[in-house]
Structures are given as structure tokens and as C-alpha cells.
Amino acid sequence: MRDFKQTLTENSYSRQEELIFADCDRNQRARVASLLSKMATFAGYDYDARGLTHDILYANREIFLISRIAMRIHLCPRASDVLTVTTWENGVRGAHMQRVFEMVDQEGRLCVSARSDWILVDPITRKILRPSSFTAKPLTTCDKEIDCPEPKKIVLPHEGLEDLGRRRVVWSDLDGNGHLYSGNYGDIVWDYLPGDLQERSPREFYINYSKEATLGQELRLEGFREGETYRMEGLGPDGTCFTALCVF
């Protein structure tokens, strides 16, 4: 048995976690959905450790929602790997508050690095707030170089799209904000990829979260394959819900 460590500094939070069987695909490699989930979870751990729990932020009517993620997989983690996951705030870019991540194995090898853009939202009105209106704490920046591209806008072409079918949002998809949990989008993407790509681990993964998907809504999925990349879009009743780009 081992004791896992966690560390809180002025501008970072680190914690060791074992990658469990359920985090992985049938080849025992970390699923993209699991890596996305860890990013959302560790952002929460960071603020929890500073006394800013989701309940407190909700009461202050200022919560964070993920807008975009860019992820680079240097070495895909596998079942039973123990990872040290570290997250840092990284200031503001336009209307977004930024946060970065690294996942390192016990040999010190960088496995995953990621950058993310978040929006500040009033959970009652769903109105987007300016980052400058955040009152809970001063925002910090990361002074470490993160080996990952910036999040970017993902657009599918108008022609040559594959109709991938439809995916209904069910009860088990929902999180505490009442919408489709951000990590679950990774599983949706993988469930609708061509079979040969499902068996591969991506080198990079990008996702844009555009509109909330809620219980009972149906997403119409379209895809576009180009070389070693695959783009996918999920369209809900009010337009684009998400777009994703897989780079293999």
C-alpha cells in the first residue's frame, strides 16, 4: 500500500492518482473521456483546497464552465499507472479564464499536457460574466512552459460530411450543473468514430463546448475524416453543442 501525495502552492495544485480499470478502454489505455474528466475534477480540487467549493461559488453566483480544451498525449497512460496531475491557473485571454495541466508518471515522464479556456457564468441566469467580475480570489498565472497547443475554434466543412446518427442525453450523462458532463463528450466522440480509429490513441485532441446539452435532448452527429484527423460535430435543438478534432 502507498500513500498518495497532494500539494497546494500559491498558483498550483498537484495530486497523485492511480488510473483504474474503468478509466481505460479495452486495450487498457486511458480513454480521452477519462483524461477530460480529470481536468474538470482537478480544477475543482484546486479550488476546494482553497476553500472555494462548488457550493460556495454557486452561492456567489459565479461558477466556471469549460469552453475549449486542447490536449497533447505524449505517452498514453495505462491501467494501474500512478500519475501526478498538476494544474495551474493561467490568467485571462479575452473573455476566457485559462487553466493548464500536466500528467506525469512515476518515472517522471510527461504523459499528457493540456490547456483549457473557461467562462464565468451566473448559474441562476446562465448569463456569461466578465473575468474581471470574479470576486472569490485573485487569478494567478503559470510560469512553466506547457508543451501543448492553445485551444482553437473547430469548424467542419460544408460538404463531404458523414451522418453518424443520433445520441440522446440520458440521466447518467448529467453532472451537478444539470447538463451533459464535460468528460462524457470524449466517450460520445469515441463511440461514433470509425472502427479503425477507435483502436488508436490520439496524439492530440481538441474540443469546443458551444451550448449545453440537457436531459432528453437529442444530438445529431456529423463527422469528417481527412488524413490522420477526424472532426466531429454534435448538433442539438438550438444549434451546435460541441465540435471535436482528433489528431492521430
Side-chain angles (χ1 to χ4, degrees), residues 61-81:
R61 297 182 63 171
E62 44 186 24
I63 63 169
F64 296 100
L65 298 179
I66 301 178
S67 175
R68 296 177 179 177
I69 290 177
M71 175 168 56
R72 175 170 284 165
I73 300 177
H74 309 272
L75 177 65
C76 189
R78 300 183 63 85
S80 300
D81 283 354

Side-chain angles (χ1 to χ4, degrees), residues 40-53:
T41 299
F42 272 73
Y45 286 160
D46 185 0
Y47 269 37
D48 287 349
R50 300 175 198 279
L52 296 173
T53 64

Side-chain angles (χ1 to χ4, degrees), residues 9-67:
T9 72
E10 182 180 351
N11 69 337
S12 71
Y13 175 85
S14 295
R15 177 169 170 159
Q16 292 180 314
E17 282 199 358
E18 183 174 353
L19 200 65
I20 64 172
F21 209 61
D23 290 327
C24 300
D25 63 16
R26 70 176 183 178
N27 298 310
Q28 299 191 40
R29 298 173 308 207
R31 301 188 339 271
V32 165
S34 298
L35 299 176
L36 294 175
S37 295
K38 289 194 183 299
M39 293 175 208
T41 299
F42 272 73
Y45 286 160
D46 185 0
Y47 269 37
D48 287 349
R50 300 175 198 279
L52 296 173
T53 64
H54 181 271
D55 288 345
I56 289 174
L57 293 174
Y58 194 99
N60 288 343
R61 297 182 63 171
E62 44 186 24
I63 63 169
F64 296 100
L65 298 179
I66 301 178
S67 175

Side-chain angles (χ1 to χ4, degrees), residues 8-154:
L8 181 69
T9 72
E10 182 180 351
N11 69 337
S12 71
Y13 175 85
S14 295
R15 177 169 170 159
Q16 292 180 314
E17 282 199 358
E18 183 174 353
L19 200 65
I20 64 172
F21 209 61
D23 290 327
C24 300
D25 63 16
R26 70 176 183 178
N27 298 310
Q28 299 191 40
R29 298 173 308 207
R31 301 188 339 271
V32 165
S34 298
L35 299 176
L36 294 175
S37 295
K38 289 194 183 299
M39 293 175 208
T41 299
F42 272 73
Y45 286 160
D46 185 0
Y47 269 37
D48 287 349
R50 300 175 198 279
L52 296 173
T53 64
H54 181 271
D55 288 345
I56 289 174
L57 293 174
Y58 194 99
N60 288 343
R61 297 182 63 171
E62 44 186 24
I63 63 169
F64 296 100
L65 298 179
I66 301 178
S67 175
R68 296 177 179 177
I69 290 177
M71 175 168 56
R72 175 170 284 165
I73 300 177
H74 309 272
L75 177 65
C76 189
R78 300 183 63 85
S80 300
D81 283 354
V82 175
L83 301 175
T84 299
V85 184
T86 305
T87 183
W88 300 260
E89 289 179 329
N90 199 30
V92 173
R93 185 175 69 167
H96 293 105
M97 304 158 92
Q98 296 193 303
R99 179 173 284 275
V100 295
F101 303 83
E102 284 190 341
M103 302 183 192
V104 177
D105 69 12
Q106 293 305 285
E107 284 70 49
R109 297 175 298 185
L110 179 61
C111 296
V112 180
S113 50
R115 298 178 182 271
S116 59
D117 291 342
W118 301 66
I119 54 173
L120 188 65
V121 174
D122 182 328
I124 307 300
T125 65
R126 289 314 211 216
K127 179 183 177 181
I128 296 175
L129 307 173
R130 293 181 179 180
S132 59
S133 69
F134 185 57
T135 61
K137 66 179 287 294
L139 296 175
T140 59
T141 58
C142 175
D143 55 7
K144 182 175 184 178
E145 185 65 32
I146 302 299
D147 186 6
C148 179
E150 291 286 348
K152 61 185 179 181
K153 185 176 182 179
I154 303 161

